[in-house]
Amino acid sequence: MTKIGKINLLRQKNDDKYNHIGNTAEVVLTFFVLLGFFSALRDVMYASIVLWVLMCVCVLILGLRYISERFKKFEKVLSFGIYIISMLCFFIFFLAAVRGFLGAVNRFIILWNFRFDTDGRMFSVGGDSVFNSIVFWTLAAVPLTSLLFTLVKKRMRGCVITVIIAGMLFGFILGRSSMLISVVCMICGILGIIIFSLTPRRRIGIGGVVCISLTFIMFGGIFFLARGYSGSESIALWKDEISKQIEKIRYGEDTLPKGELKDADSLLKGDETTLKVTMSYPQSLYLIGFVGGTYTGGEWKTLNKEAYQNEYDGLMEWLEQEGISPMTQYSVYNKLSEEEEEYDEEYNTVKIENKGAYRKFMYLPYSVVSWSGGSSETKKDWQVQSDGIFGASEYEFENVIDAPNADGIMTEPWIQFPKTEEQRKYTGVESVYHHFAQDKYMDIDYELKTLIYKMFFPENNGENMDFNEITTQIRTVLRKETQYREFPPAMGKGKDFIRWFLTEAKSGNAVHYASAAVMAYRAAGYPARYVEGYLCQEEKTPVSNENGEITAILTNKNAHAWAEIYVSGVGWVPVEVVPGMYVETYTNQIVEGKPAYQVSSKQNDDGVDVDSDDIDGEREDVDEEETDKGLSFGEVFPVGVLLILYTCFFLYLILESQRTLRILYKKKLEQRLCNEKLVCLYANEIQKTLQYAGVKGNYNHPFELTNSVDRKFRGISKNRYERAISLIHKVRFGGKELRKDEKYALSCFVLKLKKELYKNKGFFGRLKLRYGYAVEK
């Protein structure tokens, strides 16, 4: 062997060595990115074992891709095998894959609901949840692993960064778990890819050693600096802040505390106009805004979504279908009472113009009959919210005139002894919701309950007292033991708000009184909840008469907080406990804390007493029939996103499989074709490629196309094109055989021509070339 031959052989060995190191680095860095990406998505996986299985699958796929890169003759076979096996597994485990997909969708919906406060409905999924999840995520991991390895190998850093950003956004916005592993792996993975891809010819040398050392130093530094990182609190604060800013832009700034008891002193601050109320008849209105059902010691929160699941799943939708929504229950009760007493109730038409209040809420009274103007959504059993982009600025409603408060209600006798079909239906449905109210609006801490008993009911814990007696006792104690202050002192950190108000501060505004009253009623055995909004008092709010209508302008000074009590058979009704804002009543009316009747001894599947003739049949109809209520954007969007992604993965499998199969078939065909037919095949491919590139001219005289080819294909020289045409003519017109090196040169030209065309095309053009013409990049 000559000296030059030895040098070339040595260079070849060195190149093989460097390629081997480069392939190893690509596999390792791809694994880092995949580990970080799937770790960010682990909250939509059913169990932690799914993530471990995914990582094993990723290692297997990366190992096969590494072998295919090292041994080129196995590349197409291995790629084709991966896609075919994936498709076979999909069809064999189709049912498990679908269930796993739906399970992932359900977990995605749960996270979406929690983050964006939506009420997306989940799918019913059967089978082994862990196995289904493993099947689905394994099938999804196969194409993603192969695709990401290709992106890393092709040095398409922008695409890799896009994948990383997608994973991080999901983890930080929707995820609930720590992002430590994800952040470290994805950051170090992309830094390693960028640094190593910039190393000349991927040779290690001194520069390569420095790059790899920097990567490991960064990995160790990030891990060391983030070793105590939990993420939960800081990310939660970040999410809340972003959410608040978005809501502020959409709905304006809310002056109400919205259950934040530390902000109780801001209830009446300022005198900015909030609502303009135009009525056809003057009356007082408790306009409901925020409703709190759960007390945490320093905050009132609406009932969480878990409260409406399990035995109460679908309850609110069923109540809507029955026409007895908790939001309009009093008006339904009042209408049935009208029919019983044979009189016609007048209704007040009220128009609300939001001038500075929080536009997300539609401020409605408990006596509302119906409302219109602007798109709205009933939030479970506690509120009506606008689902417009910028909330509700104007709307109208009708409500019952002179609806009494809880301490002034005289429950009609037909509640105890229903006569008509409608009355029996109402009492049956009401008993179901009453059971829910008893279950969810009675929570009170044991220590706080003990304090309430000691202060408000020292003798009998509220037993053997009717509602008005308990109300009088609560008002009396609050009036004697505390002092009303419009701007009370702020509470210290780490204290229970109600306990602090009753034992230390002993002064407060409506927020303090309403909070204490709610817990006092609960301790006495009555479902109660905390409400904020605006009070339009007929005798205190300035009004003007215009065109026979009464207009009242409400400001921040009309902001108010009160307690709502669930009156058996009637619904949620306000009760006033702030000194000076109520008149003592002395009646023998009992507002029952427990169901005062039993429609029948039959119970439904949830253990709720129901009417055997009416309610049982109605509940079955709800189970069997689809509700007419349309799905909101927040419910449809997450399901649609996952469905599109999964469809894309499966489509990618099909397209890559057919592309690989066509390439393998073409290579086998080239080996079997005789000299003349092989040249005809190459000639046809050249012509198709030139035509797709837009080369115009006479294809019967290909040498005339030389200048056009030179303009369209900057990477193809004139000599190379003319050389390929000469080889084709040599066979077609000269009738000669091509040598082995000439066949190889012609095939290389065809491949080079297609690659140049691929580079010059846009995204959709490349898709067509890759999958329509099976072009190899």
Side-chain angles (χ1 to χ4, degrees):
M1 182 179 293
T2 63
K3 185 177 181 180
I4 295 177
K6 291 181 179 179
I7 293 174
N8 289 335
L9 181 60
L10 182 61
R11 283 181 177 177
Q12 182 66 36
K13 289 182 178 180
N14 289 334
D15 288 340
D16 291 342
K17 176 182 177 182
Y18 297 141
N19 288 335
H20 169 65
I21 295 174
N23 291 336
T24 304
E26 290 162 357
V27 169
V28 173
L29 294 174
T30 303
F31 178 77
F32 267 106
V33 175
L34 286 169
L35 177 59
F37 180 77
F38 284 123
S39 295
L41 299 180
R42 64 186 177 277
D43 285 328
V44 293
M45 301 175 190
Y46 192 84
S48 58
I49 190 175
V50 179
L51 181 61
W52 288 100
V53 173
L54 277 184
M55 290 301 99
C56 293
V57 172
C58 292
V59 170
L60 176 62
I61 300 302
L62 289 174
L64 293 175
R65 290 300 304 267
Y66 175 78
I67 293 173
S68 67
E69 291 296 326
R70 287 284 292 149
F71 306 97
K72 291 293 185 179
K73 60 181 179 180
F74 298 119
E75 181 178 5
K76 301 303 178 184
V77 176
L78 287 174
S79 298
F80 181 68
I82 291 173
Y83 298 129
I84 290 297
I85 292 174
S86 299
M87 291 184 65
L88 287 175
C89 290
F90 177 82
F91 287 113
I92 293 172
F93 300 104
F94 176 77
L95 185 59
V98 172
R99 287 175 173 171
F101 169 70
L102 294 178
V105 171
N106 284 344
R107 297 183 71 82
F108 187 89
I109 291 174
I110 291 172
L111 295 172
W112 185 277
N113 287 342
F114 183 86
R115 175 63 187 88
F116 296 104
D117 195 28
T118 57
D119 297 311
R121 303 171 193 171
M122 292 180 287
F123 298 94
S124 177
V125 182
D128 187 337
S129 300
V130 176
F131 176 75
N132 295 338
S133 184
I134 289 174
V135 171
F136 165 70
W137 284 106
T138 299
L139 291 175
V142 171
L144 181 61
T145 302
S146 184
L147 175 63
L148 194 59
F149 179 79
T150 302
L151 295 177
V152 173
K153 184 173 182 59
K154 298 292 184 182
R155 304 188 186 186
M156 299 175 70
R157 296 183 292 273
C159 295
V160 178
I161 291 174
T162 301
V163 174
I164 290 175
I165 291 175
M168 284 189 171
L169 286 177
F170 176 88
F172 282 124
I173 296 176
L174 294 182
R176 303 293 298 163
S177 302
S178 171
M179 285 287 289
L180 173 61
I181 296 177
S182 299
V183 171
V184 171
C185 290
M186 287 196 282
I187 289 180
C188 293
I190 192 58
L191 287 176
I193 291 171
I194 293 173
I195 293 173
F196 199 75
S197 64
L198 294 177
T199 305
R201 295 186 64 187
R202 300 186 186 178
R203 297 191 175 189
I204 300 301
I206 296 177
V209 170
V210 172
C211 290
I212 294 174
S213 300
L214 286 174
T215 302
F216 278 102
I217 290 172
M218 282 184 289
F219 179 89
I222 293 173
F223 187 81
F224 176 79
L225 294 174
R227 65 190 186 281
Y229 170 78
S230 61
S232 300
E233 184 176 354
S234 57
I235 295 302
L237 293 174
W238 175 75
K239 292 178 183 177
D240 290 341
E241 185 61 30
I242 294 296
S243 178
K244 287 178 181 178
Q245 292 301 320
I246 293 175
E247 289 201 352
K248 184 177 179 180
I249 293 172
R250 292 182 61 186
Y251 308 119
E253 190 167 5
D254 193 3
T255 57
L256 297 175
K258 286 199 300 186
E260 291 281 356
L261 299 178
K262 62 181 176 60
D263 299 327
D265 59 331
S266 67
L267 180 70
L268 301 174
K269 281 187 178 179
D271 55 0
E272 294 83 2
T273 299
T274 53
L275 300 175
K276 180 180 178 182
V277 183
T278 304
M279 300 174 279
S280 59
Y281 184 88
Q283 71 172 125
S284 296
L285 295 171
Y286 281 86
L287 299 175
I288 300 171
F290 172 82
V291 178
T294 303
Y295 176 69
T296 63
E299 181 182 6
W300 281 102
K301 295 183 178 181
T302 56
L303 293 185
N304 57 33
K305 292 178 173 57
E306 286 74 13
Y308 301 93
Q309 297 175 0
N310 300 322
E311 64 176 309
Y312 299 114
D313 190 19
L315 174 61
M316 297 302 123
E317 290 78 6
W318 175 67
L319 293 172
E320 289 280 353
Q321 285 186 332
E322 296 301 312
I324 310 177
S325 165
M327 298 301 302
T328 59
Q329 184 178 346
Y330 177 81
S331 66
V332 177
Y333 159 79
N334 186 73
K335 182 179 179 182
L336 291 174
S337 297
E338 292 176 24
E339 296 173 354
E340 177 70 15
E341 299 294 330
E342 297 182 351
Y343 70 92
D344 293 328
E345 177 73 63
E346 293 184 5
Y347 296 101
N348 195 8
T349 301
V350 182
K351 180 180 179 181
I352 299 289
E353 296 180 51
N354 194 319
K355 298 294 186 180
Y358 194 51
R359 294 188 300 272
K360 185 176 183 179
F361 298 158
M362 295 187 72
Y363 300 92
L364 303 171
Y366 78 96
S367 56
V368 66
V369 178
S370 62
W371 59 89
S372 62
S375 180
S376 63
E377 179 184 8
T378 302
K379 301 297 289 185
K380 299 302 182 184
D381 64 329
W382 38 269
Q383 196 180 70
V384 176
Q385 293 184 359
S386 170
D387 55 8
I389 297 177
F390 297 105
S393 297
E394 294 185 11
Y395 53 94
E396 292 185 359
F397 62 83
E398 283 191 344
N399 70 294
V400 179
I401 296 177
D402 296 329
N405 285 2
D407 55 329
I409 284 182
M410 298 289 292
T411 308
E412 297 294 334
W414 66 264
I415 288 292
Q416 296 287 344
F417 307 102
K419 301 174 183 178
T420 67
E421 186 70 20
E422 288 186 349
Q423 290 175 357
R424 283 193 293 271
K425 176 183 176 182
Y426 175 87
T427 55
V429 175
E430 190 275 339
S431 70
V432 177
Y433 179 70
H434 195 167
H435 185 279
F436 172 84
Q438 284 258 306
D439 191 20
K440 301 302 179 182
Y441 290 100
M442 291 285 288
D443 288 343
I444 180 172
D445 179 75
Y446 176 77
E447 293 183 359
L448 182 58
K449 190 174 184 179
T450 303
L451 175 64
I452 295 289
Y453 282 154
K454 182 179 179 180
M455 286 191 64
F456 291 88
F457 315 111
E459 297 180 0
N460 57 4
N461 293 345
E463 296 178 358
N464 302 319
M465 298 174 66
D466 67 23
F467 178 78
N468 282 320
E469 289 173 336
I470 288 175
T471 301
T472 300
Q473 182 72 5
I474 292 173
R475 287 170 171 173
T476 301
V477 171
L478 289 175
R479 186 171 61 247
K480 290 182 177 180
E481 298 293 332
T482 64
Q483 181 181 7
Y484 178 83
R485 292 179 63 180
E486 189 172 310
F487 303 108
M491 179 186 67
K493 293 184 178 180
K495 296 184 178 182
D496 181 276
F497 181 83
I498 297 175
R499 180 182 294 275
W500 169 79
F501 166 60
L502 294 175
T503 60
E504 296 183 38
K506 291 184 177 292
S507 65
N509 58 22
V511 173
H512 301 70
Y513 283 89
S515 298
V518 169
M519 287 305 176
Y521 280 115
R522 289 186 178 185
Y526 298 91
R529 63 190 189 183
Y530 168 87
V531 184
E532 291 175 3
Y534 294 94
L535 176 57
C536 179
Q537 289 180 286
E538 180 183 351
E539 64 278 7
K540 294 184 179 181
T541 305
V543 298
S544 60
N545 292 300
E546 299 178 3
N547 302 323
E549 295 180 331
I550 295 90
T551 300
I553 303 298
L554 305 186
T555 68
N556 288 342
K557 297 300 182 182
N558 297 102
H560 192 47
W562 61 91
E564 273 192 346
I565 311 300
Y566 189 82
V567 180
S568 178
V570 178
W572 291 105
V573 185
V575 63
E576 193 61 74
V577 296
V578 176
M581 298 189 71
Y582 55 82
V583 177
E584 293 287 3
T585 57
Y586 301 93
T587 70
N588 60 357
Q589 174 61 33
I590 298 177
V591 182
E592 297 163 293
K594 298 181 180 179
Y597 54 86
Q598 185 173 355
V599 178
S600 74
S601 60
K602 184 174 180 179
Q603 294 183 330
N604 64 7
D605 293 337
D606 296 333
V608 180
D609 294 329
V610 295
D611 189 301
S612 59
D613 295 328
D614 298 297
I615 305 305
D616 191 67
E618 297 294 339
R619 292 306 298 266
E620 290 178 1
D621 291 341
V622 174
D623 291 337
E624 294 175 1
E625 296 180 5
E626 291 290 331
T627 179
D628 294 332
K629 186 177 180 181
L631 295 174
S632 67
F633 175 77
E635 296 171 356
V636 174
F637 180 73
V639 180
V641 169
L642 283 182
L643 185 60
I644 291 171
L645 290 176
Y646 192 52
T647 303
C648 290
F649 274 137
F650 184 61
L651 182 61
Y652 173 76
L653 278 174
I654 295 176
L655 292 176
E656 284 294 331
S657 299
Q658 64 87 22
R659 175 177 174 272
T660 306
L661 185 61
R662 289 169 65 184
I663 292 174
L664 289 174
Y665 173 76
K666 178 185 171 185
K667 290 186 178 298
K668 294 293 183 182
L669 183 63
E670 290 175 356
Q671 294 175 2
R672 294 197 304 267
L673 289 178
C674 63
N675 190 62
E676 185 177 352
K677 290 183 178 180
L678 180 61
V679 170
C680 287
L681 176 65
Y682 286 147
N684 289 334
E685 290 191 359
I686 291 173
Q687 182 174 336
K688 287 180 180 179
T689 305
L690 296 181
Q691 288 175 339
Y692 189 69
V695 175
K696 298 180 180 180
N698 187 356
Y699 282 88
N700 292 325
H701 300 281
F703 283 108
E704 296 178 4
L705 305 175
T706 302
N707 292 330
S708 296
V709 172
D710 184 57
R711 287 194 298 271
K712 293 287 184 180
F713 299 88
R714 295 297 184 182
I716 303 292
S717 65
K718 293 182 179 180
N719 292 335
R720 191 167 185 178
Y721 170 73
E722 291 175 349
R723 166 68 173 164
I725 299 301
S726 298
L727 292 175
I728 294 174
H729 285 181
K730 179 180 178 180
V731 176
R732 282 188 168 180
F733 304 115
K736 298 180 180 179
E737 292 281 336
L738 291 181
R739 300 190 306 271
K740 188 174 182 180
D741 62 303
E742 290 176 331
K743 289 182 181 179
Y744 179 73
L746 189 58
S747 66
C748 288
F749 173 78
V750 174
L751 184 60
K752 178 67 175 176
L753 194 67
K754 290 181 178 180
K755 287 184 177 180
E756 288 298 319
L757 177 61
Y758 189 90
K759 290 180 182 178
N760 296 332
K761 288 294 181 181
F763 176 75
F764 292 104
R766 291 184 177 184
L767 283 181
K768 185 175 181 180
L769 285 170
R770 182 176 179 86
Y771 299 116
Y773 296 96
V775 173
E776 298 181 72
K777 294 190 294 182

